[in-house]
Amino acid sequence: MIKTVRNFLVYTIILVVTLGCLTGCSMKKDEPKSIENKTDEEISFVEDNILNIINRYAKKEYIKDDQIDWKSIQDDTEKLNNSLDTIVLDLSETKISNDDLVNFRNELNNVNIAISGKNENELMQRCSYLYSLLPTYLEKYSSNKNEINNMKLKSLVLSSFLQANFLDWQNAKTTIGLAETKYKEMMNDVDYMKEYSYNLNKTYVLLEELKNAINIEQADLSRIKYINFIEKI
């Protein structure tokens, strides 16, 4: 009898502890995300989609029968268009101003206008500018200095590639020079060195290869070196 009662108590305790753990886990899963986390996700979503368009363009994945497949570009852009209201709503909950949000909407509209007009140069310029807005938004509420600097570096790199792609060599050389200076500053930052020590030299070499391709004014080589860089960072 005593043994039966003891077993019952043991089973009861195990059951209570198990239910408590499950309830705790459930509560953690149901905890609402912070405003900062939601905004990080939105900025990451926009970044991924813009880079997808630029990188597919760089890899010539939009070329069909020696012509740009504007329908494919439009389909990729629709992911941003369909999420625009949610993106702006989440961004508005941080310190990002209404003027900045209006600017974001306007620039995405300009991307759509460039697609409608089948204007390749304008499209890439607008995508580049839209991307450049992201680190400025991020630094208004985030303390993640490394992420902000990485995004600023990528913005300079993709801008220099697109300038080279359209043979704007003077601006391409200036911009890639700014990217090189930016990365040297990042390499001298103790926190950045700790987080990215495994990749510092590789990234610098890839950046220098892109710079050299731009300096000798080789558009196709610049495209290849841009792809190598942006896929490694």
Side-chain angles (χ1 to χ4, degrees):
M1 179 68 178
I2 293 174
K3 185 177 180 181
T4 303
V5 172
R6 186 186 299 119
N7 288 342
F8 175 76
L9 289 174
V10 170
Y11 293 144
T12 302
I13 292 170
I14 292 172
L15 179 61
V16 170
V17 170
T18 302
L19 288 174
C21 291
L22 291 174
T23 303
C25 292
S26 177
M27 288 176 65
K28 287 180 181 178
K29 288 180 181 178
D30 294 337
E31 285 178 359
K33 295 178 182 176
S34 69
I35 293 172
E36 288 77 12
N37 286 341
K38 287 170 62 180
T39 310
D40 281 345
E41 288 180 359
E42 297 297 357
I43 288 180
S44 180
F45 174 79
V46 175
E47 179 184 23
D48 289 345
N49 279 276
I50 296 173
L51 284 178
N52 177 60
I53 294 169
I54 295 174
N55 292 347
R56 290 193 66 190
Y57 172 83
K59 295 175 182 177
K60 299 187 177 182
E61 293 179 4
Y62 290 128
I63 300 297
K64 290 186 178 180
D65 300 324
D66 295 325
Q67 292 184 335
I68 293 179
D69 181 5
W70 289 99
K71 178 64 168 58
S72 292
I73 298 177
Q74 187 174 24
D75 289 343
D76 285 343
T77 309
E78 278 303 301
K79 297 171 186 176
L80 285 172
N81 292 329
N82 294 337
S83 303
L84 179 60
D85 289 339
T86 301
I87 292 169
V88 170
L89 180 62
D90 286 342
L91 294 181
S92 69
E93 294 184 23
T94 63
K95 296 178 182 178
I96 299 171
S97 69
N98 288 332
D99 287 342
D100 286 331
L101 297 176
V102 169
N103 192 26
F104 181 84
R105 281 185 179 274
N106 289 340
E107 283 308 313
L108 184 54
N109 286 337
N110 287 331
V111 168
N112 292 319
I113 291 170
I115 293 172
S116 297
K118 298 182 178 180
N119 189 326
E120 180 181 345
N121 192 330
E122 182 72 8
L123 170 63
M124 288 297 110
Q125 286 186 24
R126 293 301 181 179
C127 284
S128 177
Y129 182 68
L130 191 61
Y131 186 91
S132 73
L133 296 176
L134 301 182
T136 67
Y137 294 165
L138 192 61
E139 64 186 349
K140 290 186 177 182
Y141 72 89
S142 175
S143 59
N144 192 334
K145 180 176 59 176
N146 291 343
E147 184 178 359
I148 293 168
N149 282 331
N150 264 336
M151 202 174 286
K152 286 182 176 181
L153 176 65
K154 284 190 280 188
S155 180
L156 289 168
V157 167
L158 67 87
S159 179
S160 67
F161 152 65
L162 291 172
Q163 289 162 346
N165 185 72
F166 294 105
L167 309 183
D168 183 4
W169 294 113
Q170 183 175 349
N171 282 324
K173 291 173 185 178
T174 299
T175 306
I176 196 63
L178 293 173
E180 180 186 39
T181 300
K182 179 65 178 176
Y183 192 63
K184 286 180 178 178
E185 292 174 357
M186 292 162 64
M187 291 176 72
N188 290 328
D189 183 275
V190 175
D191 291 335
Y192 189 85
M193 288 180 65
K194 287 180 181 177
E195 186 172 352
Y196 295 97
S197 59
Y198 65 94
N199 209 27
L200 285 176
N201 291 331
K202 178 188 287 187
T203 301
Y204 183 72
V205 169
L206 291 170
L207 183 61
E208 287 300 296
E209 288 180 353
L210 173 59
K211 179 186 173 185
N212 291 338
I214 289 174
N215 283 340
I216 62 175
E217 300 186 1
Q218 292 292 316
D220 199 51
L221 183 60
S222 298
R223 178 182 63 82
I224 294 169
K225 296 303 182 182
Y226 163 77
I227 294 169
N228 290 342
F229 177 89
I230 209 70
E231 290 185 342
K232 296 293 190 304
I233 188 172

